Amino acid sequence: MARIVVIGAGMGAMTAAARLAVAGHRVVVYERGRTYGGALGRVERDGFAFDTGPGLLPLPAVYRDVFVKTGKEPLEQCVELSQVEPAVRHVFADGTTTDLPNASRAGVGEALDAALGDGAGARWAAFMNRARETWDRTRRPLLEEPLYPNWEVLGAREPYPAVPHKRLLRRERRAATLGEIGELELGGDARLAALLEQFALAHGLDPRTTPASAAVLPYMEQTFGTWSVRGGLRALATAVYERCLARRVEFVFGAAVVRIVEKDGRAAGVELADGTTAEADFVVAGVAPTALRTMASGVNIRSEGDVPARSGMPSRLTVLLALSGARPEGTPHRTVLHSADRQDELDRLFGERPGLPASPTVTVLRPDDPALTPDGAHEAVTLTVTVPARLEVSPADVERVIARAEAVVPGLRERLLWHEVRTPTDIAEATGADGGAVPAPALAAAGGALLHPANSTRLPGLFAVGGWAHPGGGLPHAGMSGALVAGLIVEGPEFRGSQ
């Protein structure tokens, strides 16, 4: 039985802790904050409850696997999952609206034809077939296996089978970025392009530079579906935490780790802010890169040839709205209100003049969940906008977001009881990420720029878990990172992922 210290109580860290405890190890989690869940925060006030992180769960199979592997009670016995229907309503800049069904590629095609005109569904379906090939080529190395030692292979090859476009007296052209897929392969329809690019924007990626391999993002959502959790995704964090407790994982809250202890050339424990030391045979760090570098100051955890540290990821602005009046019947759980000026939005997010655009893309969540409101005569609504990291949000910025949401929440101003705001500064305080940045999933191509550092580090006995390590950000990816770290510790460096 090994002694294992886990730094942080985020979702990746807790899934690793539960798996390691089941394998017979003694696991202690040190969390600098007062609660578990990492990005899955919670605001409760006047009978309302809001998630401050993600509001929907893709790929629930990842957490089903966690619960199967760590106990007798399956995931659905611990939380109530519901497939969201429709998956999403899109409101495009020209006012066109379409509801896309959940986990039905045929249904998506029919909905696009009805909203955008005949042929739109066929063009999207052809793109999704190419996205499926990309998924088949990248699923194992990017999600299910530890990062290749020769990770450059993943960065050098573009797995998306782009369609060649011949041009008179010029060389043929193939889409190399997500934005170029919209331009070259989706018939020039600005609405289809906006639909595609939203999958990048939601993860803080610039579609103009994001490699075409990001086609896997819409493929995953439209193939495997999107789910809600009764009581919000915080309920999922609670279920994983309780599973850890059931497996006798020990949690110490309010315990900040300041240093990783090295002895005889390997990780040997951690030093806490109060000066005490916890010895360990292995250390699992579920923290942001800047925090890990500080803790490992003077320790060689990286060397030439490692995946470059990712930087410049955007953050999120979240506005929580407590409304009087019942949620209207037939209201979609999620609505994406697209920007009226996409170029300005991209320049503000990724260019040299950062700020909130005049017409930001806003995701509106209106869950049909009585556990989130004081009674049926009230509604809890969450607005989310991708914004630059370190953005100093002003009251005018918040008002602009609320004003945008009025287009899809009729009577919002008259119904508004109060609102609360979560800014990049709040995210930085909660997660330790520099500027409140939110990590994106790992993607192939682009020279490896969108990969994350491996779960194994250059210091034997020290492992990285969570959104800032392979395979990157997002709830499913966090759970996958926990499985990879547990496999590397239990089976050793020869571990090659689940078969």
Side-chain angles (χ1 to χ4, degrees), residues 120-167:
R123 290 193 294 274
W124 185 262
F127 157 69
M128 289 294 284
N129 287 336
R130 294 187 289 276
R132 180 184 61 199
E133 290 188 46
T134 310
W135 168 258
D136 290 340
R137 294 170 181 176
T138 61
R139 176 178 58 87
R140 283 200 61 82
L142 282 182
L143 299 179
E144 299 176 358
E145 298 177 343
L147 190 64
Y148 292 163
N150 60 332
W151 57 265
E152 292 91 343
V153 173
L154 292 173
R157 297 176 181 174
E158 172 53 74
Y160 179 77
V163 177
H165 286 260
K166 295 183 178 180
R167 298 179 294 174

Side-chain angles (χ1 to χ4, degrees), residues 58-123:
L59 280 177
V62 172
Y63 287 92
R64 289 191 181 107
D65 185 66
V66 172
F67 279 76
V68 166
K69 299 292 176 56
T70 60
K72 295 180 180 179
E73 304 85 5
L75 175 64
E76 279 82 352
Q77 191 171 322
C78 301
V79 296
E80 183 179 331
L81 295 177
S82 299
Q83 209 167 1
V84 176
E85 195 61 62
V88 58
R89 170 174 292 172
H90 286 275
V91 180
F92 297 105
D94 66 353
T96 304
T97 299
T98 183
D99 290 354
L100 301 185
N102 206 333
S104 172
R105 288 180 52 191
V108 167
E110 293 172 1
L112 291 176
D113 275 341
L116 309 184
D118 290 345
R123 290 193 294 274

Side-chain angles (χ1 to χ4, degrees), residues 370-445:
L372 302 179
T373 57
D375 52 47
H378 295 83
E379 184 181 6
V381 177
T382 300
L383 314 179
T384 304
V385 180
T386 300
V387 298
R390 301 181 186 83
L391 178 69
E392 294 185 6
V393 177
S394 69
D397 291 332
V398 176
E399 284 301 309
R400 192 181 311 166
V401 173
I402 294 175
R404 286 276 291 152
E406 289 184 273
V408 294
V409 186
L412 188 158
R413 294 287 184 180
E414 294 75 21
R415 299 175 59 197
L416 183 60
L417 301 174
W418 51 262
H419 72 271
E420 290 198 14
V421 179
R422 290 297 177 271
T423 69
T425 299
D426 297 316
I427 294 175
E429 292 176 355
T431 66
D434 189 20
V438 177
L443 294 172

Side-chain angles (χ1 to χ4, degrees), residues 39-269:
L40 295 187
R42 184 82 155 181
V43 166
E44 296 182 355
R45 174 179 165 186
D46 299 339
F48 290 89
F50 299 88
D51 288 321
T52 58
L56 290 169
L57 176 65
L59 280 177
V62 172
Y63 287 92
R64 289 191 181 107
D65 185 66
V66 172
F67 279 76
V68 166
K69 299 292 176 56
T70 60
K72 295 180 180 179
E73 304 85 5
L75 175 64
E76 279 82 352
Q77 191 171 322
C78 301
V79 296
E80 183 179 331
L81 295 177
S82 299
Q83 209 167 1
V84 176
E85 195 61 62
V88 58
R89 170 174 292 172
H90 286 275
V91 180
F92 297 105
D94 66 353
T96 304
T97 299
T98 183
D99 290 354
L100 301 185
N102 206 333
S104 172
R105 288 180 52 191
V108 167
E110 293 172 1
L112 291 176
D113 275 341
L116 309 184
D118 290 345
R123 290 193 294 274
W124 185 262
F127 157 69
M128 289 294 284
N129 287 336
R130 294 187 289 276
R132 180 184 61 199
E133 290 188 46
T134 310
W135 168 258
D136 290 340
R137 294 170 181 176
T138 61
R139 176 178 58 87
R140 283 200 61 82
L142 282 182
L143 299 179
E144 299 176 358
E145 298 177 343
L147 190 64
Y148 292 163
N150 60 332
W151 57 265
E152 292 91 343
V153 173
L154 292 173
R157 297 176 181 174
E158 172 53 74
Y160 179 77
V163 177
H165 286 260
K166 295 183 178 180
R167 298 179 294 174
L168 185 64
L169 302 179
R170 301 172 68 182
R171 298 176 62 182
E172 68 179 21
R173 184 182 175 194
R174 295 173 183 263
T177 67
L178 208 63
E180 289 177 349
I181 291 176
E183 175 189 350
L184 298 174
E185 299 181 7
L186 295 180
D189 191 314
R191 297 162 298 183
L192 280 182
L195 170 61
L196 173 61
E197 291 181 357
Q198 171 56 22
F199 287 95
L201 286 172
H203 290 287
L205 298 169
D206 186 347
R208 299 170 301 184
T209 58
T210 298
S213 65
V216 298
L217 299 176
Y219 176 81
M220 284 191 290
E221 176 171 313
Q222 295 188 359
T223 301
F224 304 115
T226 304
W227 303 72
S228 66
V229 178
R230 181 180 175 85
L233 282 183
R234 179 65 181 177
L236 176 63
T238 297
V240 175
Y241 171 68
E242 291 176 348
R243 176 55 54 90
C244 286
L245 294 179
R247 302 285 80 83
R248 301 191 177 183
V249 174
E250 180 182 350
F251 286 80
V252 184
F253 294 104
V257 172
V258 297
R259 186 171 67 91
I260 294 169
V261 177
E262 179 187 11
K263 183 179 180 181
D264 298 328
R266 64 174 290 119

Side-chain angles (χ1 to χ4, degrees), residues 443-459:
L443 294 172
L450 296 181
L451 298 176
H452 289 266
N455 306 107
S456 300
T457 73
R458 295 291 172 170
L459 180 64

